[in-house]
Amino acid sequence: MDFKKLERTDVPATGAIGVSVVVCGATVRRELDVFYEVVNAYYGLPEDAPWEDADAAAAKATSVDAYREMRRDFVVNRVTNEALAALGIVPALTPDVRVTAYPDSDEDFAFDLAVVERPRLSLSCLDPVEIEVEDVEVTDELVDARIAELMESRAEYAPADPHPVVFGDCVSIDVATFCEGKPVPRLTGKKMVLEVADGSMPDAFVGQLMGMSVGQTKTFEYAVERPRALSDDDVDRYLATVTVLGQLRKDVPELTDAWVEANISKASSVAEFRAGVAQGLEAEAEHLNRDTRARLANIELEKRLQGAIPDAFYRASREGMRRALERELAEKGQTIDDYYEQERTNEEELSVQMLIKSGENLRQGFALEALFDGRGMQLSEKDLAYACEEAFGPGSYDPVLLERTGKRRVVESAAKRMVALAWLADTAVAKG
């Protein structure tokens, strides 16, 4: 590729590299030739069809502006890749492109880039870290509590004699709740079973239920203080309509050998059931203890990180966390406004939370990669496959495809962090 201008300018204040690019008209012509080959193939035109035919086909499928931008971006992306390779720059984030014109055949084309490379970071020490941790131990009390939960989950509800609602009752209700005119899904439902003591509804709501009779409908307003409220009137105000459908009696089965044999597939006695519950809790505790050790060890490792991380990484980390949240909500058919309602938060609070969390994740991730590189750890194909499938789903690991799509560096980075974190958890020394 012929460059009429290719200049690099380091910007220490931001950690970015400025790149000015000018390519000659002949290069623009060659890149547009490639673009039109792709467009012709997409619209089923002959490979050597005139550019005007491709333009006409595209005009029927998309807007003029969108097509011009696609054409420009195709050239910019190809020229950018060649320019960065010529300068020996490997971007760690997507380059920020500043372009004010559209490429025209046989005319020089200029644009600027802002590129951020991977920061040069190290650790002050590569030894195992010390952590303060108390491992969860499985006690008889924990086993008893888990069994009680399991038995509660097997409870059945039967109609009870009607009477005015009192604290401690179990009732069936229909309820519709609104906040600022919008439905509140978590506080709305048909034939909901409510234990008037379990905290499943706000205390102010429960207070309004007291004394209601079976068959009675009541509409009322109540307020709930927002988390981190700054004043007495910093509340969410709800409007609810509730109907008491009936009183219920909660019947929790008695734990006997006969009940176990009839209801538990892998046990035939209370003793076997209890042993199985204890075994499950031991596995949970082992997993929880390891995760806790890894998290605490990573926090300690971060304190050893040396070197500056450009602000662009913090912005990218925060934006990535926001996109991930919105994708997760969309999969549930929810919006960010639904999230604010459910979590009783707002845009400003969420932004601050993400700023803090994304910064922690960023520094801890870089610390793990510095540990991996500093100790000379190696990646296996199994490590890469696991990291790839964690990121892109089962069966996604294809070394050739990763290389072609540019995703290999992302997968390698994730795999390095996983391997380093496992070593960190295995070698962490518990104080005391």
Side-chain angles (χ1 to χ4, degrees):
M1 186 170 289
D2 298 325
F3 294 100
K4 297 190 70 173
K5 178 182 179 182
L6 184 57
E7 295 180 353
R8 165 180 176 156
T9 305
D10 291 80
V11 187
T14 63
I17 302 169
V19 179
S20 294
V21 182
V22 180
V23 289
C24 65
T27 295
V28 175
R29 172 81 188 191
R30 286 195 297 272
E31 296 306 318
L32 287 175
D33 276 335
V34 177
F35 171 78
Y36 280 105
E37 287 178 10
V38 174
V39 174
N40 286 341
Y42 183 81
Y43 287 111
L45 300 173
E47 184 177 329
D48 58 351
W51 291 6
E52 293 80 5
D53 292 354
D55 294 341
K60 297 177 181 178
T62 186
S63 69
V64 173
D65 288 342
Y67 180 64
R68 290 179 72 200
E69 289 176 4
M70 180 173 64
R71 185 174 180 269
R72 177 201 62 198
D73 292 347
F74 182 90
V75 174
V76 168
N77 289 339
R78 288 175 60 87
V79 173
T80 294
N81 290 337
E82 293 287 340
L84 295 180
L87 292 171
I89 298 173
V90 179
L93 300 173
T94 302
D96 181 17
V97 181
R98 294 184 293 277
V99 57
T100 58
Y102 291 93
D104 288 319
S105 179
D106 299 321
E107 293 186 10
D108 293 351
F109 181 53
F111 60 93
D112 296 320
L113 302 169
V115 186
V116 179
E117 288 188 299
R118 181 178 179 78
R120 295 178 174 83
L121 304 171
S122 62
L123 298 174
S124 60
C125 177
L126 295 171
D127 295 338
V129 299
E130 289 188 346
I131 57 174
E132 293 184 0
V133 62
E134 291 185 12
D135 287 342
V136 173
E137 295 183 358
V138 177
T139 63
D140 288 341
E141 289 76 16
L142 277 177
V143 175
D144 290 339
R146 177 58 61 85
I147 289 175
E149 290 176 4
L150 293 171
M151 300 306 291
E152 283 276 333
S153 70
R154 299 293 187 108
E156 296 182 352
Y157 296 90
D161 293 336
H163 62 265
V165 176
V166 298
F167 193 78
D169 279 350
C170 184
V171 295
S172 173
I173 61 172
D174 285 346
V175 59
T177 305
F178 295 83
C179 181
E180 297 181 357
K182 297 179 180 178
V184 184
R186 63 187 174 84
L187 300 177
T188 297
K190 293 287 189 180
K191 296 183 179 179
M192 292 176 61
V193 175
L194 175 66
E195 294 187 39
V196 191
D198 64 1
S200 59
M201 298 292 275
D203 290 344
F205 177 93
V206 172
Q208 292 285 345
L209 275 184
M210 296 297 99
M212 287 186 65
S213 300
V214 173
Q216 181 181 352
T217 297
K218 184 178 182 181
T219 298
F220 53 86
E221 294 181 350
Y222 64 95
V224 177
E225 185 179 87
R226 297 190 181 106
R228 299 174 294 281
L230 301 178
S231 62
D232 292 341
D233 61 351
D234 192 3
V235 297
D236 288 317
R237 301 187 183 280
Y238 298 99
L239 175 66
T241 298
V242 61
T243 299
V244 177
L245 303 176
Q247 288 279 356
L248 300 173
R249 183 182 73 251
K250 182 179 181 180
D251 294 327
V252 178
E254 181 183 358
L255 182 60
T256 64
D257 288 346
W259 184 89
V260 170
E261 187 169 12
N263 293 276
I264 305 299
S265 61
K266 295 183 179 181
S268 58
S269 68
V270 172
E272 287 183 5
F273 178 47
R274 184 179 182 84
V277 170
Q279 185 177 12
L281 284 172
E282 290 285 358
E284 289 180 21
E286 182 180 356
H287 182 74
L288 176 62
N289 290 337
R290 183 174 176 78
D291 279 356
T292 301
R293 283 173 173 263
R295 178 176 55 82
L296 294 176
N298 202 357
I299 291 172
E300 291 301 315
L301 185 72
E302 179 201 342
K303 298 174 183 177
R304 301 177 179 179
L305 192 63
Q306 296 180 317
I309 302 174
D311 290 345
F313 281 94
Y314 289 99
R315 289 195 298 273
S317 179
R318 185 171 66 251
E319 290 167 2
M321 185 175 289
R322 175 66 178 246
R323 288 194 297 272
L325 173 62
E326 291 178 344
R327 283 197 302 271
E328 181 182 337
L329 291 172
E331 290 172 359
K332 299 176 183 177
Q334 297 178 330
T335 67
I336 195 68
D337 288 333
D338 296 328
Y339 178 83
Y340 294 148
E341 172 62 34
Q342 292 168 9
E343 298 299 320
R344 298 185 184 178
T345 187
N346 54 44
E347 174 69 29
E348 183 177 353
E349 289 180 347
L350 179 62
S351 180
V352 171
Q353 292 167 8
M354 286 190 168
L355 177 64
I356 295 170
K357 185 61 178 176
S358 63
E360 291 175 351
N361 292 346
L362 183 67
R363 289 183 57 81
Q364 289 172 14
F366 275 133
L368 289 172
E369 292 188 58
L371 177 66
F372 182 98
D373 295 335
R375 293 193 66 88
M377 298 177 181
Q378 300 295 320
L379 291 177
S380 67
E381 284 296 309
K382 184 178 179 180
D383 295 328
L384 290 168
Y386 182 80
C388 184
E389 294 191 354
E390 282 289 295
F392 303 113
S396 60
Y397 183 59
D398 181 336
V400 175
L401 184 61
L402 288 179
E403 200 71 55
R404 189 165 66 242
T405 58
K407 294 179 179 178
R408 183 176 179 84
R409 279 182 298 157
V410 175
V411 170
E412 284 184 346
S413 177
K416 284 183 176 183
R417 296 181 183 194
M418 290 178 181
V419 170
L421 187 61
W423 181 89
L424 202 61
D426 289 338
T427 61
V429 179
K431 295 179 182 178

